[in-house]
Amino acid sequence: DPERSADSPQVVRVGTVASHIMSVEIAAGRVPPVKHLPYEPRPGDRIERRGGEVLLHEDGRWVVAKRDLILMRTPEDGRAQRVGEMIGDGTAYLPDQRVEGDALELLTVDEPAAYRITSADDERYAAGVRPSAVYRKSKPTDHAMPSREAAMLHRVYLVLPQPLREGARYTIHFDGLNTREPATEFHHQTRINRSEAIHTSHIGFAPGDPFKRAYLSIWMGTGGGHRFEGLDSFELIDAQGKAVFTGPITRAHAMGDVEKLRVERDYVQTDVYHLDFHTFATPGRYRVHVPGIGVSEPITLDEAVWREAWSISMQGFLHHRSGIELGLPLTPYTRPMSFHPAMGLVPVQTDVTTLDGESKAIDESLRRLSAAGELTPVPEAWGGYMDAGDWDRRTPHLRATYLLLELLDLFPEALAATPLSVPAAEANNHLPDVMDEALWNLAFFMRLQQADGGVRGGVESTSHPRAGEASWQESLPVGVFAADPVTSYLFAGNAAKASRLLKAYDAALSATYAQAAGRAWDWAEANRPAFAQRHEPRALRDLPQDRAIAAIELYRATGRRSYHDAAAPWLDEQLARPAAAPEGPLFAYA
């Protein structure tokens, strides 16, 4: 009999993926969150240096040392143990995480003898039935740092000898499994129970969208794919369970079909079926119901769904802003100001560009310059958007800004009328909020524009963040990339586009960006040949496109013929290329 306790794995959901296959979701382990704690030294504490060697500024001097600071503590038994990761200034530390709770017993989880299904409503299961096969797929739901031990979610598929009966109640007994409870109840109601096999858009659709589709498919891990037999139609049902639409179920992808993506292979490894409801346009909240299997998550049909998705996505830009404090009432996510001169962090100029590399290039440059005593602070290098896993703000981020401006260019009325989560000063000004968001990043690069017009490629620390440090605690040196033509062309295109769009709102600001765009173009044109000689073609592979887009935007903003002529050769080359006809299963059911 398995040992069970409050820390045992817990059954969190039961559903069906076919009329005769139960899906049992079991959560094992949890990773409690940790937060920075003030460091109070104890007898026997010591700090160990680990990680790669980088340039650091410690105790008023430049040193090369291992990056991370690990707090070791000696308890009463005398054996030093790792406790957490120290913040660079020594005032706080981040405790190590631990996975709490028992793991699922993997010796028995795949054995049919570990399960027994009974039912008082279905005589076929009255005496207890073992599944004929058990399959499983498992995935981590969280992991503890730094050990990377994981909390897990296991989906166990019980293949039954007989289909389940609609409306019947069943009991799943875990005779050989260390779940928290020895059994769990399941009421088979396919118009109520969510099925993992029915996939829908979490965004929803506008009623008039010409494309509305759900999918039916299941891949069962050790059991592989599944082919559904005997299913002809599906329903859309409303909140009361009433069918409001019926459509056919059509197979669009067969197991083994090759998809022509970067690597040609069968990515889903199972049959995929289309459940199309393109013609249904009644606003409301619905679920997709497949008879005998279950329902999907709710789908919303409403004119506001795309606007809501847009607003949520744009809040991600806000959360990635550097040089600003975040918190209520702007956002429930709170974060102190990061990477701003007001907090004492001032980047210094390097002699490398983004074409030379990333943090390693910054580290090597600052080592040279610090040894020569030639470090120049750049206090204006603040703002922009931080990257996903570290705090850099570099040239590629201008591509995201261009896309925001492009959307405003395409849909000016709709986006100008859509409020976003932006600081009060921006929310109350005369610009569309999406323009304010785009200018947050563009203004950062304009502050990095040199007197000669060249635009520097952003900022980067000497390494990825120190273990345990958050953005507002950065203790690594931060360098500013030198100007390069790729950054300058990208900035010129962005600034010219912003200038044209700003004319309707702020003539003075429009003129400022127009002037900056022209200066960046002139510098890039003058310095492009020298960079082409110094760098491999691969480093400059996007330069022709970036130059052409900059020229196009400058032409649209100014009407100057020289910009038109600069873009024409690249455009002619693109138009001369034969259009590739899309083919393959991907396009058949996209």
Side-chain angles (χ1 to χ4, degrees), residues 401-444:
T401 297
Y402 186 83
L403 293 177
L404 295 183
L405 294 170
E406 180 77 353
L407 286 170
L408 181 59
D409 200 5
L410 292 170
F411 309 106
E413 294 84 5
L415 294 190
T418 303
L420 302 176
S421 292
V422 293
E426 298 173 20
N428 297 324
N429 67 14
H430 52 284
L431 301 180
D433 288 351
V434 65
M435 175 63 82
D436 284 313
E437 195 61 80
L439 292 184
W440 180 264
N441 192 46
L442 199 53
F444 165 66

Side-chain angles (χ1 to χ4, degrees), residues 208-481:
D209 284 349
F211 176 94
K212 306 183 193 79
R213 175 177 291 164
Y215 300 86
L216 176 67
S217 69
I218 185 65
W219 180 76
M220 296 184 292
T222 57
H226 180 73
R227 175 161 296 173
F228 291 91
E229 305 288 354
L231 295 177
D232 299 320
S233 63
F234 74 96
E235 301 173 329
L236 283 185
I237 60 175
D238 61 18
Q240 289 72 44
K242 177 184 175 182
V244 297
F245 177 88
T246 301
I249 296 175
T250 58
R251 191 175 72 175
H253 174 87
M255 198 182 325
D257 283 353
V258 171
E259 298 173 272
K260 293 188 176 182
L261 298 176
R262 182 181 293 270
V263 177
E264 294 188 4
R265 54 170 290 190
D266 178 9
Y267 285 87
V268 292
Q269 300 183 55
T270 189
D271 284 12
V272 178
Y273 300 78
H274 282 178
L275 289 64
D276 292 334
F277 49 102
H278 307 319
T279 60
F280 185 76
T282 304
R285 190 120 162 118
Y286 308 97
R287 290 176 184 264
V288 176
H289 171 233
V290 177
I293 297 179
V295 295
S296 68
E297 291 282 6
I299 305 173
T300 299
L301 265 64
D302 190 276
E303 294 292 347
V305 295
W306 295 111
R307 194 181 303 271
E308 181 181 359
W310 161 258
S311 297
I312 292 171
S313 298
M314 290 306 298
Q315 194 160 38
F317 278 87
L318 173 74
H319 288 172
H320 277 265
R321 284 193 185 192
S322 181
I324 190 175
E325 181 181 357
L326 296 177
L328 293 171
L330 185 61
T331 170
Y333 168 67
T334 59
R335 190 202 69 200
M337 179 182 287
S338 58
F339 285 86
H340 193 279
M343 55 179 287
L345 194 155
V346 178
V348 293
Q349 186 62 56
T350 70
D351 58 4
V352 293
T353 71
T354 55
L355 303 175
D356 298 307
E358 300 182 26
S359 56
K360 183 179 180 181
I362 290 286
D363 182 60
E364 293 172 349
S365 175
L366 291 184
R367 290 192 197 194
R368 293 191 301 270
L369 296 173
S370 62
E374 297 176 352
L375 293 176
T376 303
V378 187
E380 65 271 25
W382 64 272
Y385 298 122
M386 292 184 286
D387 213 340
D390 54 5
W391 326 128
D392 73 68
R393 285 143 284 148
R394 298 191 304 117
T395 301
H397 300 190
L398 281 166
R399 302 189 189 279
T401 297
Y402 186 83
L403 293 177
L404 295 183
L405 294 170
E406 180 77 353
L407 286 170
L408 181 59
D409 200 5
L410 292 170
F411 309 106
E413 294 84 5
L415 294 190
T418 303
L420 302 176
S421 292
V422 293
E426 298 173 20
N428 297 324
N429 67 14
H430 52 284
L431 301 180
D433 288 351
V434 65
M435 175 63 82
D436 284 313
E437 195 61 80
L439 292 184
W440 180 264
N441 192 46
L442 199 53
F444 165 66
F445 282 94
M446 189 153 70
R447 285 193 290 272
L448 292 181
Q449 187 171 32
Q450 301 170 160
D452 61 5
V455 182
R456 290 170 282 190
V459 301
E460 180 122 28
S461 302
T462 55
S463 170
H464 269 65
R466 269 180 156 167
E469 287 190 347
S471 59
W472 62 91
Q473 297 166 319
E474 174 71 291
S475 62
L476 295 173
V478 181
V480 180
F481 288 103

Side-chain angles (χ1 to χ4, degrees), residues 13 67 105-106 108 137 142 162 207 215 333 385 414 428 478 541 571:
R13 198 180 72 85
R67 180 190 62 194
E105 179 50 75
L106 297 183
T108 58
K137 63 183 178 189
D142 200 354
Q162 299 289 338
Y215 300 86
Y333 168 67
Y385 298 122
N428 297 324
V478 181
R541 65 182 182 275
L571 286 171

